[in-house]
Structures are given as structure tokens and as C-alpha cells.
Amino acid sequence: MKAQGAQERPHILLTNDDGIHAGGLLALVQALRDDAALSIIAPEHNWSAAGHSKTMHKPLRAWSTALADGTEAVCTSGSPSDCVALALLGLLQETPDLVIAGINLGANVGHDLTYSGTVAAAMESVIGDISAIAVSLDTLEAPDYGPAARFAASLAFRVLQAEEGEPLLLNVNVPALAAEEIKGVQITALGHRLYRDTLVRRTDPRGRDYYWIGGDPPTGIPKDGTDIGALAKGYISITPLLLDLTDYSRLAELRAWDLGFEMPSD
């Protein structure tokens, strides 16, 4: 974990999965720029639901650009996790102390984490031994990123003060409320997301079938102590994550199975 100790101006890498010109990224820049040295590397287009993808079989390109307020940034042809990998592998001259991904338009809770490009970027940072925060706002309409950006900035400096050890991976979801309406912060577990996806079949002008995955927006079970439950009650949710996906509770059960080397016969 590199992000340690008292530093006057820590170096923070910002990225996202909504694209370089997304409002949530600009809000983070404006909340952090006075107190941190910022590097901004983000995808050229929206990568929502891209998951933890890595570009291995074609070149990646990166070029200078500017955000809406004139802030210098780097745009890439790669995924959110590619952006972080590029930074940590040498695109940046100085390794960042912390990575923040977001602010994503829409919550990333429960099972969403396996799809989320925002969370994937934070995971890539932790793989590189640097703490990371993924930040999402629980709305898809007319967002006010201000409260989420200010909270993310405050949390960033608390993470930078954490004791040395394994890097932290935090998934943060902020309710779409005015700052004075947010009830507080809860440390949560992942909740249970409910998806209502449907397969939409259509036919192109040449008579060939094609498909859309559609359906109603997902919901969730607002259980106390979970990220979904916290958002439902107007609280900011912080969920600490691990990259270790091992189901330790089932190890003993599987070890008791008779799994000899003899292959089943036809």
C-alpha cells in the first residue's frame, strides 16, 4: 500500500467508466484540485458494464485533451482498467498515492460489482498495490455530483492516512440527495441485486436476427447492513472489498468429495 503518511499534496489518479468528458469526473477534479496533485486518465467513451476487461490483442492509444473547465487530462482508447494499468506501468512519470474511479452515474451495489467498469478500475489499482476508491451516485437523472465529490475528497485523505498494510479497496455509493438530506455514513456489506433483464429480438433489413438485452432497471433487497439498505434510508454506503473470491465456507465440503483421478466412462 503506497498511499501512506502525511503529505502536503498527495498524487491522486482519477479515472472513470463514463468517459473523459463525464460530469462526475469533472466534479472530482474540482473537489480535489486545491489539495492534491491530480493525474486524469480516462476512456474516450462510455464503458459502463465493461467489467474488469483488459486490452491484450490490439494497440492502446493515449492522447492529451482537456476537460470542460480546461483541466489537462489524458484520454485513452482502452477500458477503465486499461487506464489504470497504463498509468501504473509507466504512462505516468510518478506513481500515484491513490486512485479514485468515478463518479459513476448510477449506483454500483451488490452483484453490480462484477459488471462495473468503475469498480474494475479500482481493482486494477489494488492489483498494482495502490489503494483505490470507486464512487457512484445513486441516480440516472439530472445528477448533482457536488455532495458525492466532496465526500469522496474527504474520504480520500482519510484513506491516505491509513496504517501501512494491504491496499484498501472501497466501494462508495452516495444517495442522490442534497447534502443536508444525507443522514450519514454506513459501513456495509454487499446487498442482493435483483435484475429484470429481458431479451429483445429484432430483425435487420436483410432478414437476420439481432438482439438487445433490455428490461426494467434493477432493484435490490434493502436489507439493513448492506449497501442497498443504506442507500434506501438516505445513507452513504462504504463497502470494503477483497479481490480474493474464494468461498472459504465451502472448502471443507469440497475437500470431502471423492474426486479421484479416474475419469468418468462414456
Side-chain angles (χ1 to χ4, degrees), residues 69-216:
D69 67 350
T71 300
E72 295 182 359
V74 174
C75 188
T76 84
S77 60
S79 67
S81 51
D82 284 332
C83 292
V84 176
L86 286 167
L88 302 189
L89 292 174
L91 192 62
L92 294 181
Q93 293 184 348
E94 179 185 350
T95 302
D97 299 305
L98 178 70
V99 172
I100 304 178
I103 299 168
N104 190 68
L105 186 60
N108 277 306
V109 294
H111 301 144
D112 292 345
L113 270 62
T114 60
Y115 299 112
S116 170
T118 305
V119 176
M123 288 179 173
E124 189 69 24
S125 176
V126 171
I127 290 173
D129 203 33
I130 296 172
S131 290
I133 305 170
V135 188
S136 303
L137 183 63
D138 187 24
T139 185
L140 296 175
E141 299 179 1
D144 175 7
Y145 290 108
R150 292 189 292 273
F151 178 77
S154 175
L155 179 62
F157 287 95
R158 183 62 187 87
V159 170
L160 287 163
Q161 296 168 5
E163 296 179 0
E164 290 193 25
E166 294 298 316
L168 286 168
L169 175 55
L170 302 181
N171 186 45
V172 177
N173 285 278
V174 180
L177 300 172
E180 63 273 13
E181 296 176 334
I182 295 175
K183 293 183 178 179
V185 180
Q186 291 186 2
I187 308 302
T188 60
L190 295 178
H192 186 79
R193 199 62 144 152
L194 299 176
Y195 298 100
R196 293 179 171 82
D197 296 342
T198 60
L199 186 64
V200 179
R201 178 184 295 179
R202 295 179 180 172
T203 304
D204 70 17
R206 297 185 179 182
R208 298 173 300 190
D209 289 340
Y210 67 96
Y211 304 90
W212 285 97
I213 296 177
D216 295 330

Side-chain angles (χ1 to χ4, degrees), residues 38-51:
L38 302 179
S39 293
I40 304 151
I41 304 179
E44 63 179 326
H45 61 78
N46 191 305
W47 281 78
S48 293

